[in-house]
Amino acid sequence: MTAPTPTPASTHRVVVVGSGFGGLFATKALDEPEVAVTMVARTSHHLFQPLLYQVATGILSEGVIAPTTRDVLASQDNVQVMLGDVTGIDLEARTVTAGTVGQETVYPYDSLIVAAGANQSWFGNDSFAEFAPGMKTIDDALELRGRIYGAFEMAEVAAAAGRHDAVRRLLTFVVVGAGPTGVEMAGQLAELSRRTLTKEFRHIEPGSARIILLDAADAVLSSFGPGLATRTKRDLEKVGIEVRLNTMVVDVDAGGLEVRTPDGSTERIEATTKVWAAGVQANPLTRTLAEQSGAELDRAGRIAVNPDLTLPGHPEVYAVGDMVALEDVPGVAQGAIQMGRHAADQVLRRLRGEETGQPFEYFDKGSMATISRFRAVMKRGRIELTGVPAWVAWLAVHLFYIIGFKSQVTTLMHWAVSFVGRDRSERTVTEQQVLARLAMEYLGEDFLRTSLRKEPVERRTLTRHPSDETSVDEEPGGQSS
């Protein structure tokens, strides 16, 4: 690995961890010559996570909602983008350590913005993930696409062979979690089965697919208020979705799942395809930061920060986005965007000798969720919209926030094909999409470290010295990704 272009000693070094909404918008706001920004992220793309379910159901391609981060930031000369999974942060030494395919690199900083996001949570039952994948990454969406379309294909084969019990199990889809992601996913499964696939099979009737949306809470979209929650439940049921509330998942296996019903009894639901859209857990880096700064963590692992988003005792370190526990700031894209911009503004203020420490103030731009074609809900303050007006507003807002003109045009074309017509242009699936995640988990980390090499090689730790033109080899050690 070669060293980056040397950074002048007078330039303020900012390391941004994560390429999500918080990290990306913080980086874009730091477009000033006196700052040298290094973005370190575990993926090479910026993910527009709110539309992942449309990748999973074949409406959009992954490239549309996940543009390459380098492309997005190509015109910002003071930024370098580095691929790496951050494994350590040393607040005293002011360094960030990241691993990439067995090789570790250390990035020194003057200011640090940590926007590492959150992971899917199975509420302590991580074994559920084997049969009920979450929906947080492109890999998750592609796996779900393979599982969803594969279920219809397998049902056709089973029906042709007269195995009707298998058909019922294959044509039952369960979405766990009745928040915006779960509601939108269930709605698109209904659209897919009742509109897109209606005339394509000879031995099954796709429209007869059973789609179940369940949640341990007593309402769908509970954060939207009782009025919109009731309206959403009614609209979901109108499109054929079975909504089951006060129902908790207690076990999951390949053939189905067991739930605890409102009366306390246990019931088994036979279903091959399960989607986990319930719960988030903050990135493990919050624990690293908390141990060194004394900051507290909440039950979801989110870190408590000062009002200006800095860590206690470390005015040069900011935490933003889903990994932060901040009252009245929901875990949505707008929260991360606004926090990222605030952190960047604080860094620039300090460099200019201006007063800093201004508390972060969240401006609520509202919440929205789409149910199906022409059905959506939107809430902003006291304003509530439903039906077609909310659906059009949802289209406009999501189109606006997709990064890049090319992606916006492509998205609009795909939406026209899917919502005006019946087709979905992204329906190619492979066995690898379904099996790759489990295969890598079964084979373990040793396989991940050596899979790209014919023989294992000695690992090196590289330290990036901004004033040097070369990287310095150090003693092997530490943990890599």
Side-chain angles (χ1 to χ4, degrees):
M1 179 183 291
T2 59
T5 303
T7 302
S10 60
T11 304
H12 190 83
R13 301 166 301 178
V14 181
V15 172
V16 177
V17 177
S19 60
F21 286 107
L24 181 67
F25 280 83
T27 300
K28 291 171 74 70
L30 289 167
D31 190 8
E32 298 291 344
E34 64 266 33
V35 178
V37 184
T38 299
M39 173 185 281
V40 185
R42 66 172 62 178
T43 68
S44 61
H45 57 262
H46 163 70
L47 177 60
F48 190 81
Q49 202 172 76
L51 291 179
L52 263 179
Y53 75 95
Q54 294 200 4
V55 174
T57 54
I59 296 175
L60 298 176
S61 70
E62 59 273 25
V64 171
I65 70 164
T68 303
T69 313
R70 293 184 183 280
D71 184 36
V72 176
L73 298 172
S75 62
Q76 193 168 332
D77 294 336
N78 70 330
V79 176
Q80 61 175 346
V81 179
M82 307 303 295
L83 182 67
D85 189 9
V86 173
T87 56
I89 297 175
D90 189 328
L91 297 184
E92 292 303 320
R94 295 193 179 187
T95 59
V96 172
T97 302
T100 311
V101 195
Q103 180 173 277
E104 287 187 339
T105 306
V106 179
Y107 300 93
Y109 66 82
D110 298 310
S111 291
L112 174 64
I113 300 176
V114 187
N119 303 323
Q120 194 74 61
S121 172
W122 286 265
F123 304 109
N125 300 290
D126 290 351
S127 60
F128 292 0
E130 180 174 359
F131 307 108
M135 196 160 49
K136 288 291 183 183
T137 68
I138 288 293
D139 286 335
D140 293 339
L142 292 178
E143 177 182 347
L144 284 169
R145 184 195 294 176
R147 288 177 178 265
I148 292 166
Y149 283 99
F152 287 101
E153 296 295 340
M154 293 169 65
E156 177 81 348
V157 173
R163 294 183 282 113
H164 300 297
D165 287 344
V167 172
R168 282 190 289 273
R169 184 176 67 252
L170 287 162
L171 291 184
T172 299
F173 300 85
V174 179
V175 180
V176 182
T181 299
V183 166
E184 291 173 337
M185 186 67 184
Q188 282 308 308
L189 286 172
E191 290 270 308
L192 176 66
S193 61
R194 288 150 176 74
R195 293 186 72 246
T196 304
L197 302 179
T198 52
K199 298 180 180 180
E200 297 191 4
F201 293 87
R202 300 295 175 262
H203 298 279
I204 63 170
E205 178 55 56
S208 67
R210 184 186 181 195
I211 300 164
I212 303 171
L213 175 66
L214 58 86
D215 199 303
D218 59 1
V220 299
L221 299 182
S222 56
S223 63
F224 283 58
L228 289 182
T230 301
R231 171 64 184 266
T232 301
K233 182 176 182 293
R234 185 166 65 246
D235 283 348
L236 288 166
E237 291 171 340
K238 282 183 180 179
V239 297
I241 297 169
E242 183 180 335
V243 181
R244 303 186 59 174
L245 303 173
N246 297 304
T247 303
M248 180 181 296
V249 177
V250 295
D251 196 16
V252 182
D253 57 40
L257 64 169
E258 291 186 5
V259 299
R260 184 176 294 117
T261 61
D263 63 9
S265 62
T266 301
E267 175 188 343
R268 179 171 176 82
I269 302 173
E270 297 290 338
T272 298
T273 305
K274 286 82 65 177
V275 181
W276 195 273
V280 295
Q281 184 75 19
N283 189 287
L285 285 177
T286 57
R287 186 166 299 279
T288 299
L289 296 173
E291 289 172 351
Q292 297 180 59
S293 67
E296 296 182 355
L297 300 179
D298 68 7
R299 293 179 59 185
R302 296 174 300 184
I303 191 167
V305 295
N306 295 324
D308 64 348
L309 305 181
T310 59
L311 293 186
H314 291 274
E316 78 285 355
V317 180
Y318 300 82
V320 304
D322 293 347
M323 63 185 292
V324 174
L326 207 58
E327 190 176 357
D328 298 326
V329 181
V332 296
Q334 265 304 315
I337 290 170
Q338 293 178 34
M339 280 192 272
R341 287 172 170 165
H342 179 84
D345 177 67
Q346 291 292 296
V347 171
L348 295 176
R349 279 177 173 271
R350 190 165 73 250
L351 287 179
R352 295 165 182 161
E354 299 175 1
E355 182 182 356
T356 60
Q358 290 85 359
F360 169 72
E361 296 182 4
Y362 176 63
F363 177 63
D364 188 0
K365 294 187 176 183
S367 303
M368 53 180 56
T370 180
I371 300 166
S372 62
R373 191 175 66 135
F374 305 144
R375 285 186 171 95
V377 292
M378 176 182 175
K379 180 179 178 65
R380 181 176 179 181
R382 296 182 179 180
I383 300 174
E384 296 184 353
L385 292 178
T386 61
V388 175
W391 185 73
V392 172
W394 181 92
L395 292 176
V397 168
H398 284 71
L399 194 65
F400 176 79
Y401 279 107
I402 288 178
I403 303 296
F405 176 75
K406 179 181 177 181
S407 293
Q408 291 173 332
V409 172
T410 304
T411 299
L412 192 59
M413 292 173 63
H414 282 292
W415 282 351
V417 169
S418 299
F419 298 145
V420 177
R422 294 174 176 266
D423 199 11
R424 300 188 179 215
S425 55
E426 301 298 330
R427 291 173 50 182
T428 302
V429 300
T430 67
E431 263 188 287
Q432 182 171 305
Q433 288 175 222
V434 178
L435 301 176
R437 173 180 63 94
L438 294 178
M440 289 194 297
E441 289 181 3
Y442 293 157
L443 290 170
E445 291 188 2
D446 289 340
F447 169 76
L448 296 178
R449 284 196 291 263
T450 61
S451 60
L452 299 181
R453 315 183 186 108
K454 291 183 179 179
E455 295 181 359
V457 297
E458 183 180 10
R459 290 168 48 229
R460 296 186 303 164
T461 300
L462 302 182
T463 301
R464 292 193 177 279
H465 294 285
S467 60
D468 296 341
E469 296 185 0
T470 59
S471 297
V472 179
D473 289 347
E474 297 183 344
E475 290 296 324
Q479 179 183 354
S480 74
S481 61

